[in-house]
């Protein structure tokens, strides 16, 4: 296959779209036969298409491809609501895949007011006094759309297509991107741990996670579009909001700050409940039966690990608990 060139692409949107298409093709090609049928070499990949270079994205499907770039309005003048949205590109998983992509997209959308607060200087922490802190909005979205994703389809069909080839026993040698490097390369799979939103809230609220969790989350930042990564780092470098609240001695500010921390910890508890339903319970129920017309077997490599590569529940509980540690006591 000839080397694809980005020469004919116009602007950021077309670059992201090209990366989206090539990364979906790569995942479909690599995982179509399940864990047993993996290949060692790929052509026509995002790396080969050079799209990852200008867009700064790694040559694998990331959260930015799967969710942030992967939606379109059915009615161009209609609202950004699930009924008026569709993914641009799909993989096996039917309506459940559609729901998984779009509900995650709506969680990102619900975070927008909180992200705008993050852009304000810490001299304006009163924005935290908003009646409903943004993480609370994020939590409301999955609750409002509980039946869009079938746990059995998610577990047996969808997850494998988000798998990476870093520390994955199904692809222990990584992947050779033909025409790019003769040495195999290893990349983590797509995960919402690569979403900018919670990283930004953590930095804004001064949450300090354990060394191990921080190392994982910082590795996930390599899978974000570079401007997103730069945004998080800029919040991290800005004067500390927590310090400002502490120094102010203002009880109302402290209460508002603590409401944000509690909302973030509650979001993480809600997420643990979702992960229990879609991974732990789904795993217990999984047989070898055909699910949704797809006879694939759930990936063994993902029984205890997330698609991003974390040790799922110890990681998720640890980040939830360290979030709570961020509360300011009276
Ligand atoms: C079926 C639904 C979901 C499942 C099974 C799921 C599963 C997971 C897993 C296993 C991890 C651990 C990291 C890894 O190794 O990949 C993770 C992390 C994460 N997920 Fe989800 N997830 C789901 C939905 C969502 C949604 C809708 C969001 C909202 C954007 C989200 C946001 C996050 C975040 C931010 C992390 C990083 C940990 C944190 O900061 O608390 N997830 N998820």
């Amino acid at each position: 296959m000839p080397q694809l060139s980005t020469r004919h692409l116009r602007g950021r949107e077309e670059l992201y779209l090209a990366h989206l298409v090539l990364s979906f093709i790569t995942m479909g090609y690599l995982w179509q036969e399940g864990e047993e049928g993996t290949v060692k070499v790929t052509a026509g990949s995002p790396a080969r298409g050079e799209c990852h270079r200008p867009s700064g994205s790694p040559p694998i499907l990331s959260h930015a491809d799967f969710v942030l770039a992967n939606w379109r309005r059915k009615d161009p003048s209609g609202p950004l609501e699930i009924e008026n949205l569709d993914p641009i590109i799909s993989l096996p998983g039917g309506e459940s895949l559609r729901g998984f992509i779009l509900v995650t997209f709506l969680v990102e959308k619900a975070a927008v007011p909180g992200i705008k607060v993050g852009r304000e200087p810490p001299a304006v922490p009163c924005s935290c006094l908003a009646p409903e802190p943004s993480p609370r909005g994020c939590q409301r979205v999955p609750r409002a759309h509980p039946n869009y994703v079938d746990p059995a389809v998610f577990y047996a069909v969808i997850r494998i297509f988000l798998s990476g080839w870093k520390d994955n026993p199904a692809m222990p040698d990584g992947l050779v991107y033909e025409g790019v490097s003769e040495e195999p390369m290893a990349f983590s799979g797509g995960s919402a741990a690569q979403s900018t939103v919670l990283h930004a809230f953590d930095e804004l609220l001064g949450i300090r996670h354990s060394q191990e969790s921080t190392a994982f989350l910082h590795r996930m930042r390599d899978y974000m579009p570079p401007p997103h990564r730069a945004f998080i780092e800029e919040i991290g470098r800005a004067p500390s909001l927590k310090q400002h609240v502490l120094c102010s001695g203002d009880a109302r500010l402290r209460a508002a700050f603590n409401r944000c921390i509690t909302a973030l910890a509650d979001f993480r508890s809600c997420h643990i409940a979702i992960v229990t339903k879609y991974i732990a319970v789904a795993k217990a129920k999984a047989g070898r039966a055909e699910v949704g017309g797809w006879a694939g077997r759930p990936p063994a490599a993902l029984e205890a690990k997330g698609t991003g590569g974390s040790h799922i529940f110890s990681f998720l509980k640890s980040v939830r608990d360290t979030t709570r540690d961020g509360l300011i006591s009276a």
Side-chain angles (χ1 to χ4, degrees), residues 206-228:
I207 306 292
R208 294 281 166 262
H209 295 303
S210 72
Q211 216 177 348
E212 197 183 342
S213 299
T214 303
F216 173 75
L217 286 168
H218 281 205
R219 187 154 64 75
M220 291 295 103
R221 291 184 184 179
D222 294 341
Y223 294 80
M224 294 175 185
H228 290 210

Side-chain angles (χ1 to χ4, degrees), residues 63 100 103-104 107-108 142 149 154 159 190-195 198-199 202 209 216-217 220 267-268 271 274-275 278-279 305-312 315-316 319-320:
H63 178 75
F100 183 51
V103 171
T104 309
V107 175
E108 296 273 344
V149 186
F154 176 78
R159 267 184 106 213
S191 165
Q194 298 160 359
S195 159
L198 265 77
H199 289 253
D202 280 345
H209 295 303
F216 173 75
L217 286 168
M220 291 295 103
F267 172 81
R268 286 190 155 128
H271 178 258
I274 291 175
V275 177
Y278 282 93
I279 297 183
K305 283 194 170 184
T307 48
S310 74
H311 297 281
I312 304 176
F315 165 67
L316 294 177
V319 292
R320 190 264 317 274

Side-chain angles (χ1 to χ4, degrees), residues 97-309:
L97 183 81
R98 175 180 178 273
F100 183 51
I101 294 171
L102 295 179
V103 171
T104 309
F105 168 76
L106 292 175
V107 175
E108 296 273 344
K109 183 187 151 210
V112 170
I115 293 295
K116 286 187 173 161
V117 170
R119 286 169 47 199
E120 292 175 13
V124 205
C126 298
S127 338
C128 290
L129 292 168
E132 185 184 51
S134 182
R136 188 81 70 209
C138 300
Q139 194 183 329
R140 232 178 337 102
V141 174
R143 287 206 174 131
H145 302 93
N147 299 319
Y148 273 87
V149 186
D150 178 338
V153 175
F154 176 78
Y155 189 75
V157 182
I158 295 176
R159 267 184 106 213
I160 192 164
F161 289 102
L162 298 173
S163 300
W165 32 96
K166 185 178 171 64
D167 303 328
N168 184 341
M171 289 182 68
D173 302 325
L175 182 68
V176 173
Y177 291 83
E178 202 178 56
V180 176
S181 160
E182 285 178 12
E183 291 302 312
M185 296 160 97
F187 294 100
S188 304
S191 165
Q194 298 160 359
S195 159
T196 313
V197 166
L198 265 77
H199 289 253
F201 288 157
D202 280 345
E203 290 291 350
L204 178 66
L205 297 170
I207 306 292
R208 294 281 166 262
H209 295 303
S210 72
Q211 216 177 348
E212 197 183 342
S213 299
T214 303
F216 173 75
L217 286 168
H218 281 205
R219 187 154 64 75
M220 291 295 103
R221 291 184 184 179
D222 294 341
Y223 294 80
M224 294 175 185
H228 290 210
R229 199 160 56 229
F231 173 65
I232 297 167
E233 287 165 0
E234 199 172 319
I235 299 176
R237 280 193 301 270
S240 159
L241 173 62
K242 185 170 186 177
Q243 208 51 43
H244 179 84
V245 174
L246 279 166
C247 294
S248 74
D250 183 331
R252 283 180 61 234
L253 270 188
R254 190 179 62 233
F257 182 88
N258 281 345
R259 277 205 300 280
C260 292
I261 297 277
T262 304
L264 190 54
D266 288 352
F267 172 81
R268 286 190 155 128
S269 289
C270 168
H271 178 258
I272 291 171
I274 291 175
V275 177
T276 304
K277 175 175 168 188
Y278 282 93
I279 297 183
V281 176
K283 175 182 159 195
K285 288 185 182 167
R288 296 220 174 163
E290 204 169 293
V291 178
W294 179 263
R297 210 184 300 163
L302 293 181
E303 281 190 2
K305 283 194 170 184
T307 48

